[in-house]
Amino acid sequence: MALRVGVVGGGQLARMMIAPAVELGIDLRVLAEEEGMAASLAATAVGDYRDADTVLAFARDVDVVTFDHEHVPQDVLAALVDAGVAVRPGPEPLRFAQDKLLMRARLQELGMPQPDWAAITDASELQTFLDAHGGRAVVKTPRGGYDGKGVRVVDAATEADDWFAALAEDARGGALLVEELVDFSRELAQQIARRPSGEMRAYPVVETVQREGVCAEVLAPAPHSRGRLADVATRIGIGIAEGLDVTGMLAVELFETTDERLLVNELAMRPHNSGHWTQDGAVTSQFEQHLRAVLDLPLGDPEPNRPWSIMVNILGGPSEGTLDERFAAAMAAHPGAKVHTYGKAPRPGRKVGHVNVVGDDLDEAAYEARAAASFFAD
Ligand SMILES: Nc1ncnc2c1ncn2[C@@H]1O[C@H](COP(=O)(O)OP(=O)(O)OP(=O)(O)O)[C@@H](O)[C@H]1O
Ligand SMILES: [Mg+2]
């Protein structure tokens, strides 16, 4: 009988697991939040991932449960484990991807390099942090942020008043995370695959370019990273994967500081936007690797199959019509570009697809990927 993987969440990450699952003969099932989502091709159930009974019913006939996002509540995860379901990554490591304050505290215990940080509950504590850090800092909501939502650069203690007020309303209480504003020269991401048996594979460290808090492009490998930088990034990734007992794909977002240190920004325990290039640029894509890792199968080779890969996100999409209507023109102009779409309706700023181009010359590949992606926006 085919190995069965259940993915909670019907977004594009679940969608992009479908093709490798078909190739490997894996029976992939998806619990989608609603009809018509990106992964609806494989959606065998539609329901609320915050409801334990819904998730338990979905998990009943799969070999392992994994995720498209980090938002499944701990009580639901605990119910799965109590019912004997294999959950990968497990509830314990997932806590550190769900809550940035827990993550900071745990990374500190592991001795990982990271920005100065503090947990704060009111404006006076924020003021104290600002005073100690040159008057500017980054305030973050510990839970539920994505694509830069829940991240705010502040230079006055009153600028987070609305978030402190929301904390006071929240019965669970809690705190905000404040971090030093890192003076970085660029952002990097390190991906590690790890299976329950402990086997690990490291992808090359990549450069991620963000615009308005959203990933716009990824260059793989990160230019000028060979040698020390790549080694340090890999060591950090492996230390976190082992230290937190992550299974499946782990992405570690990093800052490279102007004085060439690496600091950990945040973690994702699932396939990640920084690894979409692997679909066309690596021997084993992150989506195939995630399936292999959560099933405890031998991992695939993460090496690039060409010197350079570039991924350009399609953000928003055309303001009129559908992505599909732009296909023919993009394909005709850029036969070397691989266009991946998510079946999502265009909306300003929304990730609706991406373009991968691989090649021997970074500038040429980047030119082609950007040009092809531009056909899908206006
Ligand atoms: N301490 C910091 N110093 C400087 N810039 C920061 C800092 N923290 C975050 N940023 C900037 O804000 C972006 C978003 O922050 P972060 O990754 O924490 O948020 P997110 O919304 O959870 O992320 P994602 O978009 O990956 O879901 C970062 O990629 C970086 O550009
Ligand atoms: Mg981030």
Side-chain angles (χ1 to χ4, degrees):
M1 195 172 62
L3 295 167
R4 298 158 307 177
V5 176
V7 185
V8 179
Q12 63 260 26
L13 302 177
R15 177 189 178 94
M16 289 187 274
M17 293 179 206
I18 298 173
V22 170
E23 289 169 359
L24 294 172
I26 291 168
D27 178 357
L28 190 83
R29 303 170 184 200
V30 171
L31 171 61
E33 291 82 341
E34 52 191 83
E35 304 284 347
M37 289 193 62
S40 59
L41 287 168
T44 51
V46 172
D48 187 350
Y49 61 81
R50 294 163 300 189
D51 178 64
D53 291 336
T54 302
V55 182
L56 276 168
F58 169 71
R60 197 167 300 131
D61 18 75
V62 298
D63 297 303
V64 57
V65 167
T66 190
F67 309 95
D68 167 88
H69 57 72
E70 283 104 12
H71 307 310
V72 178
Q74 283 289 328
D75 61 320
V76 175
L77 298 173
L80 288 172
V81 171
D82 287 346
V85 177
V87 179
R88 294 179 187 146
E92 184 57 24
L94 269 174
R95 289 166 58 217
F96 303 107
Q98 291 178 330
D99 188 311
K100 289 176 180 175
L101 271 172
L102 289 179
M103 175 198 72
R104 287 280 175 242
R106 185 76 184 105
L107 292 183
Q108 190 157 311
E109 288 172 5
L110 290 174
M112 291 292 158
Q114 54 179 350
D116 278 348
W117 66 280
I120 51 171
T121 54
D122 60 33
S124 77
E125 289 174 357
L126 176 53
Q127 188 61 56
T128 305
F129 191 91
L130 285 169
D131 291 343
H133 293 86
R136 297 189 85 190
V138 182
V139 181
K140 300 185 178 184
T141 54
R143 307 176 69 88
Y146 68 97
D147 288 351
K149 296 174 182 67
V151 174
R152 195 181 283 172
V153 177
V154 302
D155 49 23
T158 52
E159 287 175 41
D161 280 350
D162 53 334
W163 285 355
F164 287 124
L167 273 187
E169 300 276 293
D170 190 337
R172 290 172 305 174
L176 299 178
L177 170 63
V178 62
E179 298 175 356
E180 72 175 288
L181 180 66
V182 176
D183 186 14
F184 60 81
S185 51
R186 56 180 178 167
E187 293 186 71
L188 305 175
Q190 173 68 55
Q191 286 192 297
I192 303 286
R194 184 169 178 272
R195 57 190 279 220
S197 66
E199 187 196 3
M200 282 186 279
R201 296 277 171 164
Y203 283 84
V205 67
V206 301
E207 177 173 348
T208 66
V209 181
Q210 338 285 323
R211 291 194 198 107
E212 283 148 38
V214 183
C215 175
E217 295 186 359
V218 172
L219 310 178
H224 312 291
S225 63
R226 222 160 286 156
R228 191 196 69 92
L229 197 65
D231 292 346
V232 174
T234 302
R235 271 211 307 279
I236 290 172
I238 284 181
I240 294 174
E242 277 187 328
L244 302 187
D245 191 22
V246 180
T247 48
M249 288 298 303
L250 166 72
V252 181
E253 296 181 4
L254 296 159
F255 299 121
E256 182 182 351
T257 62
T258 46
D259 55 354
E260 293 186 36
R261 290 172 303 133
L262 293 184
L263 303 176
V264 177
N265 176 27
E266 61 161 348
L267 310 178
M269 297 178 195
R270 48 170 170 76
H272 188 250
N273 201 165
S274 64
H276 291 355
W277 67 275
T278 61
Q279 292 173 306
D280 300 295
V283 176
T284 310
S285 86
Q286 62 163 344
F287 300 102
E288 175 180 344
Q289 197 78 294
H290 187 72
L291 294 173
R292 291 163 78 132
V294 298
L295 284 165
D296 205 13
L297 293 170
L299 299 177
D301 186 350
E303 282 304 302
N305 48 33
R306 294 292 290 277
W308 296 105
S309 297
I310 172 161
M311 190 269 344
V312 177
N313 271 336
I314 302 172
L315 294 172
S319 57
E320 268 172 53
T322 64
L323 245 54
D324 309 11
E325 291 164 19
R326 310 290 180 100
F327 260 145
M331 285 170 168
H334 299 286
K338 307 298 278 187
V339 179
H340 299 257
T341 64
Y342 308 156
K344 290 158 70 171
R347 195 192 295 156
R350 195 180 201 197
K351 291 176 182 171
V352 293
H354 66 271
V355 176
N356 287 335
V357 175
V358 299
D360 296 327
D361 184 279
L362 177 59
D363 288 339
E364 274 173 32
Y367 178 85
E368 183 158 25
R370 288 168 192 149
S374 72
F375 276 82
F376 296 95
D378 32 28

